Amino acid sequence: MYDDFISFADLTRGEIEELLSLADDLKKRRKNGELYQPLRGKTIGMLFEKPSLRTRVTFETGIYQLGGHAVFMEMRLGERETVPDIARNLERWVDGIVARTHSHDSVLELAAHGAAPVINALTDLLHPCQILADAMTLREKRGSLEGLHVAFVGDGNNVFASWAELAACVPIKLTLVCPKGYELKGPVHERAKELAGDRYGVTQDLESGVRGADVVYTDVWTSMGQEAENTKRQKAFRPYQVNRRVMELAGRDALFMHCLPAHRGEEVTDDVIESEQSIVFDEAENRLHAQKSVLVWALT
Ligand code: CP
Ligand code: NVA
């Protein structure tokens, strides 16, 4: 299939499960030292408007392992030429585009104006590659996603929005625990409310929000592009730090997750991120396998 990977809302539950199984399979092949190169002869353009460690390295490494070639471009879309013109150039040369942009519309425009499949590597609205890797990690740790309660403590941001899209499709319970004014709003929220029903909730009450959760997840309080709001955000989110007390409310078996990079001492304390309950580097590892799955799915 040749397809875009922009949002979980474009996929069925079956397709998400297919991607997760393929990711497991690709991880096994890699661990067994098997050479598997379905992208041989293919070139993937990587357009990044924002910094990245995990996403850039895992895509470039994954493309190489699958036999393809990655061309990395750091640029502000629309500055030197329009997004449609970029798409109409790239489609003549490359077989796929991985894009990390500020505006979500830029990724949609790249997909609409060019024939090359577009993979969303984070926008201001969504981060589906991250949540695919997180779902893979939870399946490894807990066997299945079904019925798991994920308490997302922090900003109703792009990472949370992709969790909300997953919850609209896969039967997990998702609670956003955040200060007033930082809830997810707009169509992604409305759709999750409609499709996930009472499996999806928002609360300002930290204690009831995390009590008994299977997973406590957090992310930075100030996302890339929001730096001007940092002082205000630090103040608003301070009571929502994930520390030992929060993990105790969730329970001894609860897992701690974070997409990284972490601002230790802000959204999470050192003792939590370094604890036995923390699986943050397993999540980071699985970015590689999950994105290889997306590449194979979208490009072969
Ligand atoms: N989690 C994540 O996407 O990390 P990077 O911003 O470093 O790519
Ligand atoms: N919400 C963060 C995620 C970084 C991976 C950001 O957009 O900066």
Side-chain angles (χ1 to χ4, degrees):
M1 191 196 291
Y2 286 84
D3 221 334
D4 302 316
F5 179 80
I6 293 177
S7 151
F8 288 130
D10 304 329
L11 304 177
T12 62
R13 182 177 172 191
E15 285 172 320
I16 293 173
E17 274 162 13
E18 229 176 89
L19 279 167
L20 290 170
S21 302
L22 180 56
D24 292 341
D25 179 57
L26 291 168
K27 184 170 181 174
K28 264 190 224 117
R29 285 177 192 258
R30 180 75 195 158
K31 302 271 173 203
N32 292 339
E34 192 184 321
L35 203 62
Y36 179 63
Q37 304 202 307
L39 297 192
R40 194 185 294 245
K42 292 194 193 283
T43 301
I44 289 90
M46 295 183 43
L47 281 176
F48 276 50
E49 285 191 302
K50 296 175 176 178
S52 171
L53 173 69
R54 281 146 292 273
T55 310
R56 177 178 178 176
V57 174
T58 51
F59 265 113
E60 288 200 24
T61 305
I63 290 165
Y64 174 76
Q65 289 175 2
L66 292 168
H69 175 66
V71 178
F72 184 81
M73 294 157 279
E74 190 182 339
M75 62 163 84
R76 283 303 296 253
L77 298 186
E79 215 168 74
R80 192 157 170 262
E81 57 196 312
T82 66
V83 177
D85 276 0
I86 294 173
R88 292 165 70 200
N89 277 269
L90 286 175
E91 71 172 4
R92 303 291 178 114
W93 311 314
V94 303
D95 302 284
I97 298 172
V98 172
R100 168 169 282 201
T101 64
H102 286 280
S103 162
H104 188 71
D105 285 346
S106 298
V107 161
L108 296 177
E109 267 191 289
L110 283 171
H113 293 276
V118 174
I119 297 172
N120 178 358
L122 179 147
T123 66
D124 286 348
L125 185 69
L126 297 171
H127 196 4
C129 288
Q130 177 68 50
I131 305 314
L132 190 69
D134 293 340
M136 176 185 183
T137 312
L138 279 177
R139 278 184 8 150
E140 289 175 344
K141 302 287 177 195
R142 292 289 182 260
S144 154
L145 294 172
E146 213 156 320
L148 290 183
H149 179 200
V150 177
F152 188 106
V153 181
D155 192 16
N157 63 14
N158 46 4
V159 172
F160 176 74
S162 280
W163 271 115
E165 288 203 331
L166 189 78
C169 204
V170 173
I172 57 166
K173 181 176 170 200
L174 179 66
T175 307
L176 173 63
V177 184
C178 72
K180 193 167 166 26
Y182 292 94
E183 304 86 1
L184 176 67
K185 297 176 192 81
V188 176
H189 168 68
E190 294 304 327
R191 188 172 168 276
K193 232 171 43 177
E194 186 191 324
L195 296 178
D198 57 10
R199 292 187 291 101
Y200 176 72
V202 185
T203 178
Q204 291 166 29
D205 186 62
L206 182 57
E207 294 206 1
S208 65
V210 299
R211 186 166 290 123
D214 297 292
V215 177
V216 177
Y217 198 109
T218 192
D219 183 13
V220 292
W221 294 336
T222 303
S223 285
M224 292 179 278
Q226 298 174 330
E227 291 76 10
E229 296 174 25
N230 189 43
T231 310
K232 190 178 93 186
R233 286 173 167 271
Q234 291 291 327
K235 206 164 145 223
F237 283 102
R238 181 64 54 191
Y240 291 85
Q241 181 186 66
V242 177
N243 50 34
R244 276 261 55 93
R245 187 183 71 87
V246 172
M247 290 308 293
E248 273 159 23
L249 283 167
R252 220 188 320 227
D253 293 335
L255 297 169
F256 171 74
M257 299 180 84
H258 191 311
C259 55
L260 305 179
H263 292 172
R264 292 160 183 254
E266 294 183 17
E267 75 274 5
V268 61
T269 52
D270 251 326
D271 56 351
V272 167
I273 201 168
E274 295 298 342
S275 71
E276 292 280 303
Q277 285 164 286
S278 170
I279 55 168
V280 298
F281 298 109
D282 298 317
E283 295 175 73
E285 177 188 342
N286 282 339
R287 295 294 304 279
L288 173 67
H289 311 295
Q291 284 153 206
K292 282 169 75 177
S293 164
V294 171
L295 287 161
V296 171
W297 182 83
L299 296 171
T300 64

